[in-house]
Amino acid sequence: MYVAVKGGEQAIQAAHQQQAQRRRGDLNIAELSVTQIQGQLSLGVERVMTEGGIYDQELAALAIKQACGDQVEAIFLLRAYRTTLPMLFTCAPLNTQKMRVQRRISAIYKDLPGGQQLGPTFDYSHRLLDFSLLAEGLGKPTATQEADASTGSNTEANTEPSLQQPFSRVFNMLEQQQLAKPEVDCAAEPADISRDAIHFPCSRAARMQQLSRGDEGFLLALAYSTQRGYGRNHPFAGEIRCGEVALEICPEELGFNIEIGSVLLSECEMVNGFVQPKEAPAHFTRGYGLAFGFSERKAMAVALLDRALQAQQYDEAITSPAQDEEFVLAHADNVAAAGFVSHLKLPHYVDFQSELELLRKMHQSQHAPCANTGYPSGNPSGQPSKQTVTKETDNAKV
Amino acid sequence: MQRFNQHLATLDADLGYNFGYLDEQTKRMIRRAILKGIAIPGYQVPFGGREMPMPYGWGTGGVMLSAAVLGRDDVFKVIDQGADDTTNAVSIRQFFAKVCQIDTTTSTDAASVIQTRHRIPEQALKHGQILIYQVPIPEPLRFIEPRETETQKMHALAEYGPMQVKLYEDIVKYGYIATSYAYPVMVNQRYLMDPSPIPKFDNPKLNQSPALMLFGAGREKRIYCIPPYTEVASLDFADHPFAVQQWSEPCSLCHSTTSFLDEVLIDDQGQRMFVCSDTDYCQQQQASKQEPCHG
Amino acid sequence: MSIIAPGFNQNVEQSQVCFRQLLTALSEPGTEVTLDQHVGFSPLNSAASQVILCLCDQLTPLYLSPFLAELVPGSDIAQAQRNFTFHCNTKPSSLVNADFAVISSQESIHFSRLKVGTDEQPHQSVTLIIQTDDFTSGPKLTLSGPGIPNQRTVQLGQLHPKILQYLLAPSHPFPLGVDLLFCHQQSLIAISRTTKVELASCM
């Protein structure tokens, strides 16, 4: 006899308990500390901060620990926490020109003021598993570190830490030669996508925010598609720089800016295909990307998409997904995407029952039902009728 | 150290979060959106939806509405698929019991505010009650026109022809309107509205309801409303009038012949039985039928 | 002299109680509700003040008509604005740009200049709070529309002809429009833009 399912509360509790056990794993192995994650899984921490929308290594590391290393889950944890925080100050615009550069490369000039600074990167590492890392607890440098130090395949690159004097930006130099148009602050109050719903068509501020918080995998794939001809925009990596940038606020009672700390940022400016407007000399266009930490793959993807989404502004035909503002921005957020995809796990008994009822009604109206198979009697093979299998589901199962 | 204390405080939900979880400024913003929604029945008001501690798609829109509406004196009921004891309903009810310390109930009659996913209770709602719907896709035209910029224009011009065409094509193709849930309605003869994925069985309950209905889509950041005593018409054609689902057998537990039934498979030979989806209603019916026997 | 008067002393609870009254008022136009959580910032009456305390903040430009102060001797409209700014962070605004505006029922205003929303964004419209003398005098009005089973009859006090004219024949086609909250002491009656207003026929 059927008994209505009860005991949801106990089931939820048990699920939490099992997940907690799985997270901790083998009790004979020392627990991973938040400090270890923060210090040794820094790229993971930085992605979680970027997409989680909070610059806080400790909280991001905690989220990663709690989420068993699931980045999307960790990002969600951080976002949910973020909504409970009061907004105390709006900082002054960051000046990335004054970045204390740890890494800076340009792919368009062999040498340039400030030089090429390779900094920490996987770029020229040979992707060979480093088995010496298996021998844990050794204080000496690992094989990868030694190998990277000796090869230095980019002979131009200066591997010394940067001087503290600011580097000129590659784009400023292009602007001086009238090869690029200066970006001018339109002085409008920037949108805040964390407080107001995005309204399409949206401002560039809203777009940049949504891209910066967007899922790295999704943005990377779309950026890649532009390189394969789906909205090609002829990019050159004009400049990628990573380093600390000072954070300043201007308290009303002081009336001048004070530095309250710094954030580690990756910034990418792409030099893109040129245009020849009537009122100005022909010039390159640009795409811009910014992310927390050493996240240059993300920053590059954002820059490619920022440029792809300027299609309308340059009267380019909008033919590809990456150029479609609503398509890109409405689907970039992995907290939203993961939530909606995973909601299919929730019960849909009622909607499914509604579909069953309709399907059976359609069976009945066409043929007298056959008691044994449940399929229309006109189909003695017992196979579903054509009508059954071709029925389109044009409603999302929601 | 200060941060550590802050985290400790949040461990204690009673102390760490505001009443209803949301901060007052967010509640205010939601409340303004609700009032505009009521003034323009069926129109989707954009609002600054927030991340909530449950995933988007799992009822955040409904949760935000409930958080903005609930007060200390409310009695709160949560149902999913009509049932109070599905895990998602349990989870949301526990959340509010924790962040609001309010009374919860499974009784439709005793509730002042009901949050629901996919059903309207069988028992007729009363004047003064508020029904809050969780909405996944608020835009009824979304599967005809995926672009927000386009559907906005269609609503502005009340250009709903494509929806009629879609329903008509269903009839040509299948002999029936092939939409069995999230069946589109016209509100107050002006706005086309998605009533959320309730079965079309529930659509007639929307019309001239004495209860206030609020719809929240968290991920899509939209709120819309139907005031009490408002005309809500399900789309149809003169030769294919709107009709609700029917079952050839009654509920196996309470023998109701008028409620929405869930199908339950009882063996792997395809044997099945039907039971009420609304658990509170089913229990009331069972109780009222048993009384004469015991009495 | 600038003295800040107290706002809600239990902000979370009192805001919620006020909101639920407003929810009833607007979803059932013509129904009188009571707002009794605050005495008000003169020259605004109690109900009008509570609407603002409950709903407004830095995102909602607020207009308070100077005409209100003329009706209440010794009151100062700037002082009321300062109180709202202190408690809700509101910013004073012109009537044309206001999301919330408080005026007197005796006042002549140009409805055509108010924010009424657009066809695509009809919600971007002003909520007009009208202070009136009572709900027992003035023309008898019959209301129908959403939130009203059959009909409801109300009196909204003596109304300036322009206000009465807007009620009877709104100059903006739905869904554009203005939502009206009539306030007298602690009482409030809402007229939604969906509400059809007619002069009750004399029996």
Side-chain angles (χ1 to χ4, degrees):
Chain A
M1 180 55 200
Y2 166 80
V3 184
V5 183
K6 290 268 178 200
E9 296 182 31
Q10 290 98 305
I12 291 173
Q13 255 172 11
H16 291 168
Q17 221 162 25
Q18 289 179 27
Q19 185 57 38
Q21 281 168 3
R22 222 179 113 70
R23 184 190 68 70
R24 177 56 183 89
D26 187 347
L27 290 173
N28 293 316
I29 296 170
E31 184 171 351
L32 192 56
S33 77
V34 169
T35 330
Q36 284 173 318
I37 297 173
Q38 192 179 329
Q40 298 173 39
L41 298 177
S42 58
L43 294 178
V45 167
E46 285 159 358
R47 177 179 173 195
V48 169
M49 292 196 303
T50 301
E51 296 173 33
I54 308 180
Y55 190 89
D56 188 317
Q57 285 107 333
E58 188 191 25
L59 288 183
L62 169 63
I64 290 171
K65 176 174 176 174
Q66 189 180 333
C68 305
D70 179 338
Q71 295 262 295
V72 175
E73 180 70 20
I75 289 161
F76 177 24
L77 283 168
L78 214 53
R79 285 268 193 94
Y81 178 71
R82 187 187 190 280
T83 55
T84 66
L85 299 175
M87 191 165 82
L88 301 176
F89 269 104
T90 305
C91 70
L94 299 183
N95 186 349
T96 52
Q97 166 114 21
K98 288 192 187 162
M99 178 183 276
R100 290 187 285 275
V101 168
Q102 297 178 34
R103 168 169 166 77
R104 187 279 198 111
I105 55 160
S106 168
I108 59 172
Y109 291 111
K110 186 170 180 181
D111 201 4
L112 66 169
Q116 309 264 11
Q117 293 270 346
L118 205 50
T121 175
F122 289 126
D123 280 356
Y124 300 100
S125 70
H126 297 142
R127 268 59 169 204
L128 303 170
L129 274 179
D130 179 359
F131 295 103
S132 67
L133 288 175
L134 273 176
E136 289 165 341
L138 300 179
K140 61 173 182 148
T142 65
T144 6
Q145 284 166 0
E146 281 172 15
D148 284 349
S150 62
T151 40
S153 46
N154 187 344
T155 49
E156 277 76 47
N158 176 6
T159 52
E160 294 296 306
S162 80
L163 306 169
Q164 287 304 303
Q165 72 199 39
F167 285 20
S168 330
R169 274 196 156 109
V170 170
F171 250 98
N172 291 0
M173 298 179 245
L174 292 174
E175 285 167 16
Q176 277 165 17
Q177 302 170 60
Q178 293 198 310
L179 295 170
K181 229 169 84 176
E183 291 282 6
V184 185
D185 185 354
C186 68
E189 180 79 11
D192 181 350
I193 61 158
S194 70
R195 309 191 88 78
D196 301 306
I198 283 196
H199 181 72
F200 299 111
C202 70
S203 65
R204 187 160 183 222
R207 177 209 300 162
M208 297 309 307
Q209 288 169 38
Q210 183 74 350
L211 289 176
S212 281
R213 300 210 318 178
D215 182 78
E216 183 173 320
F218 175 77
L219 299 182
L220 181 67
L222 281 171
Y224 175 47
S225 75
T226 66
Q227 293 179 281
R228 293 193 66 260
Y230 290 85
R232 189 167 177 221
N233 53 33
H234 308 271
F236 296 96
E239 178 168 9
I240 294 165
R241 50 168 69 193
C242 308
E244 299 273 346
V245 177
L247 207 60
E248 297 182 343
I249 60 167
C250 180
E252 225 168 276
E253 56 273 29
L254 287 183
F256 54 86
N257 283 0
I258 52 167
E259 190 175 324
I260 55 166
S262 66
V263 289
L264 183 63
L265 293 173
S266 295
E267 183 187 52
C268 171
E269 282 197 287
M270 289 283 178
V271 180
N272 296 87
F274 54 78
V275 290
Q276 185 162 26
K278 288 192 186 93
E279 73 285 1
H283 60 83
F284 291 114
T285 58
R286 76 170 98 189
Y288 183 82
L290 191 70
F292 287 147
F294 280 90
S295 306
E296 64 190 48
R297 191 196 300 125
K298 171 70 176 276
M300 291 174 79
V302 169
L304 286 169
L305 287 168
D306 173 45
R307 175 59 188 83
L309 293 173
Q310 294 167 33
Q312 194 172 22
Q313 184 186 330
Y314 292 117
D315 287 328
E316 294 163 349
I318 296 175
T319 51
S320 303
Q323 298 168 308
D324 184 330
E325 174 181 272
E326 198 174 328
F327 179 80
V328 174
L329 299 184
H331 301 112
D333 190 282
N334 60 26
V335 178
F340 201 44
V341 169
S342 73
H343 111 286
L344 292 172
K345 293 181 280 186
L346 287 177
H348 286 75
Y349 321 136
V350 167
D351 295 343
F352 188 69
Q353 184 57 221
S354 301
E355 295 279 87
L356 280 179
E357 195 266 355
L358 178 64
L359 225 60
R360 293 207 173 102
K361 202 162 72 177
M362 283 161 60
H363 285 184
Q364 276 171 3
S365 68
Q366 284 206 322
H367 308 280
C370 173
N372 288 335
T373 63
Y375 292 120
S377 53
N379 183 359
S381 69
Q383 293 302 308
S385 68
K386 185 134 179 25
Q387 179 202 13
T388 313
V389 292
T390 57
K391 194 254 171 199
E392 284 174 20
T393 45
D394 46 1
N395 274 313
K397 296 290 179 287
V398 285
Chain B
M1 193 59 205
Q2 191 198 344
R3 161 161 312 148
F4 181 67
N5 287 335
Q6 192 183 329
H7 289 326
L8 269 191
T10 57
L11 291 179
D12 186 344
D14 299 357
L15 303 170
Y17 293 103
N18 192 21
F19 179 87
Y21 182 80
L22 294 174
D23 60 282
E24 287 305 298
Q25 197 179 338
T26 302
K27 283 188 203 168
R28 226 180 272 207
M29 176 268 298
I30 295 173
R31 287 168 179 165
R32 291 196 297 259
I34 293 173
L35 293 177
K36 286 297 175 199
I38 285 171
I40 316 167
Y43 166 73
Q44 301 162 51
V45 185
F47 79 110
R50 303 281 194 257
E51 284 90 353
M52 297 296 283
M54 57 276 288
Y56 279 133
W58 295 55
T60 53
V63 168
M64 278 186 266
L65 285 176
S66 294
V69 162
L70 286 170
R72 299 237 182 256
D73 299 334
D74 277 310
V75 181
F76 191 47
K77 171 182 165 87
V78 186
I79 50 173
D80 186 339
Q81 313 296 302
D84 298 273
D85 53 8
T86 43
T87 41
N88 192 46
V90 169
S91 167
I92 291 174
R93 190 164 57 238
Q94 282 180 341
F95 176 73
F96 279 105
K98 200 189 280 178
V99 297
C100 291
Q101 300 104 45
I102 50 165
D103 291 339
T104 60
T105 182
T106 57
S107 158
T108 301
D109 196 49
S112 59
V113 178
I114 304 172
Q115 181 171 331
T116 181
R117 177 168 172 267
H118 294 198
R119 279 307 314 272
I120 298 176
E122 303 291 357
Q123 184 181 334
L125 297 174
K126 294 178 297 191
H127 179 233
Q129 285 182 313
I130 301 175
L131 186 59
I132 293 174
Y133 296 74
Q134 303 175 199
V135 182
I137 301 275
E139 178 50 69
L141 299 162
R142 186 56 71 235
F143 303 108
I144 296 171
E145 171 51 66
R147 277 171 205 286
E148 182 68 26
T149 39
E150 291 302 314
T151 51
Q152 238 172 45
K153 280 181 215 150
M154 292 164 81
H155 284 295
L157 302 167
E159 174 50 65
Y160 298 135
M163 179 58 91
Q164 293 283 355
V165 170
K166 189 246 162 214
L167 297 181
Y168 183 74
E169 284 172 354
D170 278 0
I171 294 172
V172 173
K173 211 163 167 184
Y174 308 117
Y176 296 96
I177 291 174
T179 302
S180 56
Y181 59 91
Y183 190 102
V185 295
M186 279 296 279
V187 180
N188 192 32
Q189 302 184 13
R190 174 57 180 82
Y191 278 101
L192 186 70
M193 190 194 93
D194 182 330
S196 86
I198 56 171
K200 66 177 182 175
F201 179 90
D202 285 339
N203 273 26
K205 298 175 193 166
L206 295 163
N207 186 35
Q208 298 292 344
S209 169
L212 170 64
M213 314 237 181
L214 309 178
F215 298 78
R219 190 178 40 77
E220 300 278 342
K221 301 183 170 52
R222 295 289 185 276
I223 287 170
Y224 52 101
C225 311
I226 305 176
Y229 311 110
T230 298
E231 184 187 324
V232 180
S234 302
L235 297 192
D236 63 357
F237 299 95
D239 52 345
H240 275 87
F242 175 81
V244 299
Q245 288 100 334
Q246 287 175 327
W247 285 262
S248 51
E249 51 188 289
C251 168
S252 299
L253 301 180
C254 76
H255 311 296
S256 169
T257 54
T258 55
S259 68
F260 186 93
L261 301 180
D262 273 345
E263 185 170 329
V264 182
L265 297 179
I266 46 180
D267 62 22
D268 52 13
Q269 307 299 306
Q271 290 284 330
R272 52 184 202 258
M273 60 183 279
F274 291 89
V275 292
C276 289
S277 107
D278 183 334
T279 47
D280 175 57
Y281 172 81
C282 195
Q283 280 153 17
Q284 304 292 335
Q285 295 295 307
Q286 292 176 59
S288 68
K289 276 168 190 156
Q290 273 170 8
E291 266 163 25
C293 308
H294 294 291
Chain C
M1 195 181 68
S2 172
I3 298 170
I4 297 299
F8 286 144
N9 51 26
Q10 296 282 330
N11 186 29
V12 175
E13 284 79 12
Q14 292 179 306
S15 294
Q16 190 272 342
V17 168
C18 284
F19 169 68
R20 285 291 280 274
Q21 292 296 308
L22 284 168
L23 194 59
T24 303
L26 200 64
S27 63
E28 300 177 42
T31 303
E32 185 173 331
V33 299
T34 303
L35 297 171
D36 56 4
Q37 304 294 313
H38 192 272
V39 292
F41 298 126
S42 176
L44 271 67
N45 63 32
S46 168
S49 301
Q50 289 174 70
V51 173
I52 294 164
L53 284 172
C54 164
L55 293 178
C56 293
D57 56 28
Q58 70 275 21
L59 301 175
T60 53
L62 173 66
Y63 171 80
L64 305 180
S65 168
F67 188 78
L68 295 167
E70 291 176 24
L71 301 175
V72 183
S75 71
D76 177 6
I77 205 71
Q79 182 59 25
Q81 276 281 16
R82 275 194 291 275
N83 271 302
F84 288 122
T85 301
F86 180 83
H87 293 294
C88 318
N89 212 4
T90 54
K91 302 215 162 49
S93 146
S94 66
L95 179 57
V96 182
N97 294 318
D99 281 344
F100 284 80
V102 189
I103 63 162
S104 157
S105 63
Q106 310 293 318
E107 200 171 338
S108 164
I109 67 157
H110 295 284
F111 278 88
S112 59
R113 293 176 57 212
L114 300 178
K115 259 167 84 170
V116 294
T118 63
D119 286 333
E120 287 192 16
Q121 309 257 304
H123 65 286
Q124 289 182 343
S125 56
V126 65
T127 300
L128 194 59
I129 299 160
I130 302 179
Q131 296 203 158
T132 186
D133 288 337
D134 56 71
F135 290 137
T136 49
S137 72
K140 285 198 166 129
L141 303 170
T142 305
L143 313 180
S144 58
I148 305 166
N150 303 316
Q151 288 186 333
R152 211 168 261 147
T153 305
V154 293
Q155 286 177 294
L156 300 169
Q158 299 301 329
L159 304 176
H160 190 279
K162 284 206 169 151
I163 296 175
L164 183 61
Q165 190 192 344
Y166 187 85
L167 282 172
L168 296 172
S171 41
H172 311 99
F174 184 83
L176 308 191
V178 174
D179 304 308
L180 303 161
L181 306 176
F182 288 89
C183 293
H184 165 62
Q185 294 174 357
Q186 295 192 333
S187 300
L188 182 147
I189 293 179
I191 305 286
S192 157
R193 68 185 81 180
T194 55
T195 310
K196 189 175 177 205
V197 183
E198 293 165 296
L199 282 173
S201 51
C202 299
M203 299 303 284

